[in-house]
């Protein structure tokens, strides 16, 4: 058998099981190939295998046996001979691994689960041999009886999980002898003994057995029943507490499979472990397709603000950057847009993001930065910004409202509603001037402001292009045939369905339209829902496979809009990311 010291070292290199066996297959119907290797010791390097033993079983019945010595091409260490009884003379006439591998891989059929005691060791040697000799490793699902025994048996029942100890406990017909076939036959009986114990742990399928063998927490094991009875369909799931309050909301194309993953070893997030401890049930909301599921998830999170969701919890906490309504307007960060507001930019996720964009406009356009409400009759003393020549000083009436509008407010309106070329050129010129003067840190600050301005304008123009359309009907091929259909009104998902395969989707579209949500137009680029929902819909509509079926009006963006600066925006964002990743505090002296 494999020396215990290698198990943990090799575990990190063991690929996850990705074989073709359905994880929902009941254990009694699963074909297992139980494998044991004898080796010359050491780490797997493509050689070193001296004996292979394998037994194929299903439903307690033995289907086949494979056993052979293997000539490793290297001397057998004396301690291995003492342990296994395999001598150099026994291996000289044996076939090399290149002749044995094809037979073994054929024996390990695609519909079988590989089983071994301390599986990472045996699998590591087999994978290395395949790689060294040009054979594709089939990546079967792997079940480790040693790991399974650690979950099923207590210390009161067995002092350790060695194969010999387990064989004695389960009274196997074949005793382990450190020979491959004997040990494989003993492992078969151990496997059957462990499977008999799994029912009490609510483990009935091969996928559940593999996950159960991994290191799951007591909470995950105790709450595993919450995943029972959920549908294998797209939709939203809600973990609810004792008071029925939603603790966590998620979405998946397969609700049952996704929820089960929360009770496996792959789930390691501390906040999710805390959430599982408080959860009492899981509620499923089935949806027509993935887009409807994503939208419903956003709306549920926005409505209930579940404590264990981190994103999308407060869609109302956005801010806008707008021009104030006065003779000499200035930029102001506000929570909401009023129906009369015409010059604005947003929405921004935070006040900090809005202020960064405002600073970019102040670098490019001579908008006043003071917060006074200026009078057309009374003069107000100028501030330092005016003295530095960076403000037109409307406070001292050095400029008329018409001239101020022409030089300051109109460029802002033009940049937000149409062409931001003037603002972009001014910021690029400033970056070039600062860089030429070797003022690189200041240039980087202006670059971040340029990024904020371009990102905000691009986003708003993209949102407004869709939310201005009263109705859009779109279709995308469904995975199982037919069409996924979505009806969007003013950027809000108003209806969704899937038309059956082989049937024209028009009747389904008519049904969606008749039952769809009524959505009234409103003010701003997100009049009917959150920006995040509209962006999810945009991503779905912009996929190459999506077809636009009907639209109430044209879908268009400004010809000279911010979208044409996408390459510049990407370059500036990447430069900022690279600078952040390479900067580090140096040693101080």
């Amino acid at each position: 058998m494999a020396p215990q010291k290698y198990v943990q070292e090799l575990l990190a290199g063991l690929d996850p099981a990705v074989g073709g066996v359905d994880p929902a297959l009941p254990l009694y119907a699963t074909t297992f190939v139980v494998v044991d290797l004898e080796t010359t010791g050491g780490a797997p390097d493509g050689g070193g295998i001296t004996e292979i033993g394998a037994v194929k079983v299903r439903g307690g019945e033995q289907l086949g046996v494979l056993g052979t010595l293997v000539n490793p091409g290297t001397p057998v260490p004396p301690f291995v001979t003492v342990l296994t009884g395999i001598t150099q003379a026994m291996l000289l006439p044996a076939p090399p691994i290149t002749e044995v591998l094809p037979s073994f891989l054929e024996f390990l059929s695609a519909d079988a689960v590989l089983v071994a005691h301390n599986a990472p060791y045996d699998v590591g040697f087999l994978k290395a041999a395949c790689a060294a000799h040009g054979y594709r490793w089939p990546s079967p699902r792997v079940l480790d009886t040693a790991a399974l025994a650690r979950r099923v048996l207590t210390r009161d029942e067995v002092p350790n999980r060695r194969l010999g100890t387990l064989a004695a406990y389960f009274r196997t017909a074949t005793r382990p002898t450190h020979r491959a076939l004997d040990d494989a036959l003993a492992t078969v009986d151990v496997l059957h003994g462990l499977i008999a114990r799994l029912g009490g742990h609510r483990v009935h399928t091969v996928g559940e057995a593999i996950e159960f063998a991994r290191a799951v927490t007591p909470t995950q094991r105790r709450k595993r029943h919450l995943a029972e009875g959920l549908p294998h369909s797209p939709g939203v799931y809600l973990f609810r507490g004792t008071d029925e309050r939603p603790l966590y909301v998620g979405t998946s194309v397969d609700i049952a499979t996704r929820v089960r993953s929360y009770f496996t070893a792959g789930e390691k997030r501390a906040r999710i472990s805390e959430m599982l401890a408080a959860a009492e049930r899981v509620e499923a909301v089935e949806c027509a397709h993935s887009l409807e599921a994503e939208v419903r998830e956003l709306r549920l999170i926005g409505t209930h603000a579940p404590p264990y969701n981190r994103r999308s919890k407060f869609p109302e906490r956005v801010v806008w950057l707008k021009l104030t309504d006065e003779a000499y307007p200035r930029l102001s960060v506000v929570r909401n847009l009023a129906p009369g507001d015409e010059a604005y930019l947003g929405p921004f996720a935070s006040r900090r993001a809005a202020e960064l964009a405002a600073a970019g406009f102040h670098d490019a356009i001579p908008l006043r930065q003071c917060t006074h409400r200026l009078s057309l009759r009374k003069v107000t003393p100028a501030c330092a910004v005016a003295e530095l020549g960076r403000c037109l000083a409307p406070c001292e009436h050095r400029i008329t409202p018409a001239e101020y509008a022409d030089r300051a407010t109109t460029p802002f309106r033009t940049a937000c509603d149409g062409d931001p070329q003037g603002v972009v050129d001014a910021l690029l010129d400033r970056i070039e001037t600062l860089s030429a003067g070797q003022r690189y840190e200041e240039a980087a600050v202006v670059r971040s402001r340029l990024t904020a301005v371009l990102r905000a304008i691009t986003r708003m123009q993209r949102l407004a292009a869709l939310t201005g359309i009263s109705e859009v009907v779109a279709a995308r091929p469904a995975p199982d045939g037919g069409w996924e259909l979505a009806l969007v009104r003013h950027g809000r998902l108003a209806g969704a369905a899937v038309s059956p395969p082989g049937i024209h989707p028009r009747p389904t579209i008519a049904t969606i339209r008749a039952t769809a949500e009524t959505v009234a137009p409103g003010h701003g680029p997100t009049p009917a829902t959150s920006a995040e929902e509209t962006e999810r819909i945009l991503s779905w509509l912009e996929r190459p496979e999506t077809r636009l079926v009907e639209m109430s009006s044209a879908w268009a963006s400004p010809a000279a809009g911010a979208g044409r600066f996408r390459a510049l925006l990407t370059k500036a964002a990447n430069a900022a990311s690279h600078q952040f990743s390479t900067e580090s505090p140096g040693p101080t002296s």
Side-chain angles (χ1 to χ4, degrees):
M1 288 305 301
Q4 182 66 32
K5 67 178 182 178
Y6 291 115
V7 173
Q8 294 302 321
E9 296 175 6
L10 295 170
L11 185 59
L14 181 60
D15 288 347
V18 293
V21 178
D22 184 355
L25 189 65
L27 289 167
Y28 65 80
T30 301
T31 300
F32 296 101
V33 173
V34 182
V35 179
D36 187 82
L37 303 181
E38 300 302 331
T39 71
T40 57
D45 57 2
I49 298 175
T50 60
E51 189 175 26
I52 296 179
V55 183
K56 183 178 292 187
V57 294
R58 182 175 62 240
E61 179 184 356
Q62 187 178 109
L63 304 180
V65 175
L66 183 150
T68 179
L69 290 169
V70 180
N71 188 338
T74 57
V76 179
F79 78 91
V80 172
T81 299
V82 173
L83 179 67
T84 65
I86 298 175
T87 64
Q88 192 71 40
M90 294 168 60
L91 298 179
L92 286 176
I97 190 64
T98 52
E99 296 180 12
V100 174
L101 268 180
S103 298
F104 172 78
L105 293 175
E106 183 179 357
F107 189 78
L108 180 62
S109 55
D111 62 345
V113 174
L114 189 150
V115 179
H117 199 73
N118 291 325
Y121 185 86
D122 298 275
V123 172
F125 268 90
L126 291 170
K127 287 180 64 177
C130 286
H133 300 291
Y135 291 95
R136 185 185 67 83
W137 176 245
S139 298
R141 296 189 183 274
V142 178
L143 182 60
D144 188 347
T145 50
L148 194 59
R150 281 192 287 271
R151 303 288 176 262
V152 171
L153 303 176
T154 66
R155 287 287 181 182
D156 294 334
E157 294 174 297
V158 290
N160 56 63
R161 276 70 176 181
R162 296 191 182 98
L163 182 59
T165 303
L166 298 177
Y169 178 79
F170 287 112
R171 299 179 182 180
T172 61
T174 303
R175 306 292 294 178
T177 61
H178 291 293
R179 294 296 300 271
L181 189 54
D182 285 348
D183 288 4
L185 288 167
T187 303
V188 168
D189 290 342
V190 169
L191 173 66
H192 289 155
L194 293 171
I195 288 177
R197 300 283 294 269
L198 290 178
H201 296 273
R202 298 174 180 265
V203 175
H204 305 289
T205 68
V206 63
E208 291 171 344
I210 292 172
E211 289 298 338
F212 183 78
R214 296 174 179 173
V216 298
T217 65
T219 298
Q220 289 175 307
R221 195 174 298 118
R222 187 175 68 254
K223 296 293 184 76
R224 188 188 297 270
H225 67 279
L226 297 180
E228 295 177 355
L230 297 176
H232 289 278
S233 60
V236 179
Y237 53 89
L238 298 87
F239 284 86
R240 293 186 180 272
T242 54
D243 57 356
E244 287 297 300
R245 179 190 178 189
L247 302 174
Y248 183 83
V249 178
T251 182
S252 176
V253 295
D254 186 325
I255 296 173
T257 300
R258 181 67 185 98
V259 172
R260 277 205 300 268
S261 71
Y262 287 89
F263 303 95
T264 67
E267 180 53 74
K268 301 183 183 299
R269 291 172 290 179
R271 64 187 175 90
I272 297 300
S273 297
E274 183 181 329
M275 182 274 292
L276 292 177
E280 291 298 323
R281 72 181 184 95
V282 178
E283 178 183 344
V285 180
E286 295 186 69
C287 299
H289 46 69
S290 59
L291 175 61
E292 184 187 10
E294 291 178 19
V295 168
R296 287 191 180 276
E297 178 195 31
L298 289 174
R299 294 179 186 176
L300 285 169
I301 292 174
T303 299
H304 299 288
Y308 295 97
N309 282 95
R310 287 184 174 174
R311 293 183 296 180
S312 311
K313 289 172 67 171
F314 305 105
E316 72 281 359
R317 294 185 183 177
V318 297
V319 295
W320 302 82
L321 194 61
K322 75 163 190 173
L323 286 178
T324 57
D325 184 16
E326 49 188 321
Y328 297 104
R330 61 181 176 83
L331 290 179
S332 175
V333 179
V334 297
R335 284 287 181 188
N336 298 293
L337 291 179
D341 292 333
E342 295 182 355
Y344 52 79
L345 181 63
F348 294 91
S350 67
R351 187 178 186 89
R352 179 180 178 184
E355 290 174 344
L356 185 63
F361 281 108
H362 289 142
D363 282 341
I365 302 172
L367 283 163
R368 69 182 182 95
Q369 301 181 38
C370 59
T371 59
H372 302 295
R373 188 169 186 87
L374 302 183
S375 170
L376 291 175
R377 297 179 180 178
K378 186 185 298 184
V379 173
T380 303
C383 62
V385 178
E387 295 176 1
L388 292 173
R390 297 185 59 185
C391 179
L392 300 175
C395 51
E396 294 186 340
H397 295 176
R398 298 181 194 175
I399 188 171
T400 67
E403 293 172 329
Y404 181 83
D406 184 57
R407 297 181 59 183
T409 59
T410 298
F412 175 82
R413 294 172 184 269
T414 301
C416 295
D417 296 336
D419 186 0
Q421 183 76 59
V423 172
V424 171
D425 287 345
L427 290 173
L428 289 176
D429 288 344
R430 183 162 175 77
I431 291 172
E432 184 176 353
T433 300
L434 292 170
S435 298
Q438 298 185 356
R439 298 161 63 183
Y440 301 118
E441 291 185 1
E442 294 176 67
V445 171
V446 177
R447 182 188 61 206
S448 67
R449 294 172 179 174
L450 170 63
T451 303
V453 168
L454 269 181
R455 183 176 287 134
I457 297 175
T458 301
R459 185 189 191 205
M460 188 176 76
Q461 291 182 355
R462 184 166 174 262
L463 289 170
L466 178 61
T467 59
I469 304 175
S470 299
E471 184 175 285
V472 176
V473 178
R476 192 180 73 155
D480 299 325
W483 293 88
E484 296 180 353
L485 302 170
L487 189 148
V488 181
R489 290 174 173 167
H490 296 292
R492 180 181 179 89
L493 184 66
V498 176
S499 65
I503 299 177
H504 200 284
R506 284 292 179 185
T508 307
I509 293 174
T511 301
I512 299 174
R513 182 174 280 116
T515 58
E517 176 185 359
T518 300
V519 180
H523 184 61
T526 56
T529 187
S530 68
E532 193 169 0
E533 176 177 333
T534 301
E535 285 177 322
R536 296 287 180 93
I537 294 170
L538 277 167
S539 297
W540 192 85
L541 293 174
E542 291 170 348
R543 291 177 183 176
E545 65 272 21
T546 302
R547 303 291 182 264
L548 297 179
V549 181
E550 295 177 359
M551 291 194 299
S552 60
S553 59
W555 182 2
S557 297
R564 76 184 199 276
F565 292 103
R566 193 178 304 274
L568 174 62
L569 176 58
T570 301
K571 182 178 179 181
N574 289 342
S577 176
H578 176 72
Q579 178 188 20
F580 179 79
S581 63
T582 55
E583 285 181 350
S584 60
T588 57
S589 57

